[in-house]
Amino acid sequence: MSYSHLMRKYKLETRVALQDFIKIDSTYDASTVTEDKPFGEGVDQALKYIGRLGERFGFDVDYCNGYCTEISYGTGDRMIAIFAHADVVPATGEWKYEKFGGTIDKNRIYGRGTSDDKGPLMAAFYAIKALKDANKIKNYRVKLVVGGDEERGSSCLDYYFNHLKKEAPTYGFTPDAEFPVIYGEKGITNLFFEFPVTLPQIKSLKGGIVLNAVCDKCEVEIESNKDFIDFATSRKYINCDIVDNGKIMKLTFKGKTAHGSTPEKGINAALMALKALGQFYEYAKLVDIADNFSVYNGKAINGYSKGKYLGESTFNVGTISIEDNVLKLGVNYRFPEDVSVENTISRINEVFNAKITHDEISPYLLLNPQSKLIQTLMKAYYRETGDKTPIFTIGGGTYAKHAKNTVAFGAMFPYSVDTMHQPDEYMNLDDLFKASVIYCRAIDTLGKLK
């Protein structure tokens, strides 16, 4: 059976549906949260959009009290589940293309969420639809579970499994990472640092929106000082817009965002601001903090760790502020197997005079590469692409940590440019189609497993 031939008739339909999906700004919005819209108006619109699409094509749909949209079809004891998410991170930074436009240019579709995770989600949706239309879903069930809070910690799936008591899949995957298959994910938590500082010339300082992305803008107000203009223009590492009204000088430090799991791919505006202000005011403490956190694996702050399977730790400064003579940093910390967060904090405290706390810990995930699930997905990818890239582990965290018998599977290809959480996020349309073909084969093969 040619899965490519089966999916070809849905190629245009997938693209058009994705364009409409991207046009929904599904960023978490606290100002519009209600009991039946737990993540705000935009996320709710996105969850309902995919639900209405499912209803139109004859699927059973459960809106799960606004936390997820569950689309299902088929009968039988075995259940194949695909877990994807409709929420997106804020569309910060400078964009060439409309942030929520779904613009197509040179065989790419642009907009926040195209690759993370609306494009892969739509590829999986139409793979299920193709199998349904061809009457291939027999003696098993398929579910597409679309969550609304993956980017802020996956409370949506926690509600789905622990409150609604939904069943775990026989086999599951989440199209929210890379091909061929991800068999391990680092542990994740957020660390919150508080440093006492004395610098009255700084009237305000604030940067970053989310913790799991590199801070790409930091806004500062200082006492007006013409010397700062010469200072900023003389240092190549500083990218800063300056507005001076004679009393207050407003500074906007501009970096480049990247995913929190790969801080080395971005330019951190928060660290740029700290280093610049520390040098200008000859306040070594700020320079030391900036330099130490610029070593993203944690070696400079005594927080480094390395695992056999999951690699090195990473520390990403996502948010920053100065309030009441306290410098606050929000740091996304990702760690390999067999690491204690509490021990890491103790080691860091040997270097810093800081108050350090952390929020909920998402443990690391390691699965058996020889398992039937992973081997089946890997072969589905190999059969459709001919590519023999080996399976691997990642620093990112996916729904695979929240759903049993589930792994991350695509949809970014080994040759793809990673634009997740970045301006002008895009997905190549050929890759969108190719992913749908791979998912079609994978679902069909998993459904037939004994």
Side-chain angles (χ1 to χ4, degrees):
M1 174 182 176
S2 171
Y3 294 94
S4 180
H5 179 76
L6 181 63
M7 291 305 308
R8 191 166 293 124
K9 63 186 285 188
Y10 301 95
K11 194 172 183 179
L12 176 60
E13 194 174 344
T14 304
R15 190 200 76 188
V16 173
L18 177 56
Q19 283 183 286
D20 290 339
F21 201 20
I22 292 167
K23 290 175 182 177
I24 302 171
D25 180 354
S26 50
T27 312
Y28 173 81
D29 181 8
S31 68
T32 57
V33 166
T34 62
E35 185 176 353
D36 60 343
K37 299 176 182 178
F39 311 121
E41 181 66 33
V43 175
D44 185 70
Q45 287 182 18
L47 292 175
K48 287 178 177 173
Y49 171 82
I50 195 68
R52 287 193 297 268
L53 204 61
E55 290 169 342
R56 188 199 311 170
F57 297 137
F59 292 98
D60 294 324
V61 177
D62 182 353
Y63 288 98
C64 303
N65 299 329
Y67 283 81
C68 304
T69 294
E70 177 195 80
I71 297 168
S72 56
Y73 183 79
T75 59
D77 294 333
R78 284 168 295 154
M79 190 263 282
I80 313 304
I82 299 94
F83 299 94
H85 67 92
D87 62 309
V88 298
V89 297
T92 58
E94 297 180 3
W95 290 61
K96 174 183 176 182
Y97 298 92
E98 190 177 346
K99 296 177 180 180
F100 296 97
T103 304
I104 294 176
D105 185 23
K106 297 179 181 177
N107 207 41
R108 295 172 177 176
I109 183 167
Y110 288 86
R112 177 58 84 224
T114 47
S115 59
D116 184 20
D117 187 36
K118 292 179 178 180
L121 186 164
M122 204 58 73
F125 177 89
Y126 276 95
I128 299 170
K129 183 179 187 302
L131 292 170
K132 171 183 172 294
D133 292 349
N135 198 30
K136 296 292 184 181
I137 301 176
K138 296 180 178 180
N139 301 317
Y140 70 95
R141 291 170 290 139
V142 181
K143 288 187 178 182
L144 173 62
V145 181
V146 180
D149 194 40
E150 193 274 344
E151 296 291 2
R152 298 188 323 122
S154 302
S155 68
C156 45
L157 277 202
D158 179 69
Y159 186 89
Y160 179 83
F161 285 116
N162 298 320
H163 183 83
L164 298 179
K165 305 299 181 183
K166 295 285 189 173
E167 67 179 304
T170 310
Y171 300 110
F173 65 83
T174 175
D176 192 21
E178 301 167 64
F179 286 123
V181 185
I182 307 301
Y183 72 92
E185 302 177 10
K186 289 179 184 176
I188 305 173
T189 191
N190 294 312
L191 306 179
F192 302 97
F193 291 76
E194 295 186 7
F195 300 89
V197 293
T198 305
L199 204 58
Q201 298 95 326
I202 299 178
K203 301 305 178 182
S204 68
L205 184 151
K206 190 170 185 178
I209 299 175
V210 294
L211 292 159
N212 64 343
V214 173
C215 174
D216 66 341
K217 184 170 73 171
C218 184
E219 296 179 321
V220 183
E221 291 187 356
I222 62 173
E223 293 178 352
S224 183
N225 190 326
K226 300 295 184 183
D227 291 340
F228 186 84
I229 298 174
D230 294 335
F231 168 83
T233 54
S234 67
R235 282 156 174 78
K236 293 182 179 180
Y237 76 87
I238 297 176
N239 182 9
C240 181
D241 292 338
I242 301 173
V243 177
D244 186 10
N245 66 9
K247 294 182 178 180
I248 296 295
M249 187 173 280
K250 295 183 178 181
L251 317 174
T252 303
F253 292 88
K254 298 186 292 184
K256 176 187 175 184
T257 193
H259 197 284
S261 65
T262 54
E264 71 281 359
K265 294 182 179 180
I267 300 173
N268 199 302
L271 301 182
M272 183 194 303
L274 285 185
K275 186 167 185 176
L277 295 170
Q279 288 182 337
F280 181 70
Y281 291 116
E282 298 182 346
Y283 194 38
K285 184 175 186 176
L286 297 189
V287 178
D288 289 343
I289 293 171
D291 286 344
N292 287 337
F293 278 104
S294 294
V295 183
Y296 300 116
N297 60 18
K299 285 186 176 181
I301 61 173
N302 205 28
Y304 177 79
S305 55
K306 184 176 181 179
K308 179 179 179 181
Y309 300 102
L310 296 176
E312 294 183 317
S313 53
T314 59
F315 293 79
N316 172 65
V317 176
T319 61
I320 185 173
S321 66
I322 291 182
E323 302 173 14
D324 300 324
N325 296 320
V326 176
L327 169 64
K328 298 181 179 181
L329 300 181
V331 179
N332 189 231
Y333 168 46
R334 301 181 184 233
F335 54 91
E337 67 272 24
D338 303 324
V339 169
S340 164
V341 172
E342 287 75 15
N343 287 344
T344 300
I345 291 174
S346 295
R347 297 201 317 269
I348 294 173
N349 263 327
E350 295 174 4
V351 176
F352 281 140
N353 175 27
K355 176 184 176 183
I356 308 173
T357 57
H358 68 84
D359 64 9
E360 184 178 356
I361 297 172
S362 173
Y364 68 86
L365 175 70
L366 271 177
L367 299 172
N368 181 2
Q370 299 304 315
S371 70
K372 190 178 291 187
L373 170 61
I374 290 178
Q375 288 295 308
T376 299
L377 296 178
M378 181 180 68
K379 289 174 183 177
Y381 172 80
Y382 290 168
R383 286 286 298 274
E384 291 299 335
T385 65
D387 175 50
K388 299 298 183 181
T389 297
I391 63 177
F392 57 100
T393 64
I394 59 171
T398 73
Y399 277 151
K401 288 185 177 182
H402 302 270
K404 295 179 181 179
N405 312 320
T406 299
V407 296
F409 181 48
M412 196 167 74
F413 290 86
Y415 55 78
S416 301
V417 176
D418 184 0
T419 59
M420 295 183 185
H421 294 200
Q422 299 179 41
D424 292 326
E425 179 184 349
Y426 72 84
M427 188 170 187
N428 184 283
L429 290 174
D430 290 339
D431 289 351
L432 178 66
F433 175 70
K434 191 181 298 184
S436 69
V437 174
I438 294 168
Y439 291 147
C440 190
R441 176 184 285 276
I443 294 165
D444 192 39
T445 307
L446 289 172
K448 293 174 180 176
L449 288 178
K450 301 298 184 182

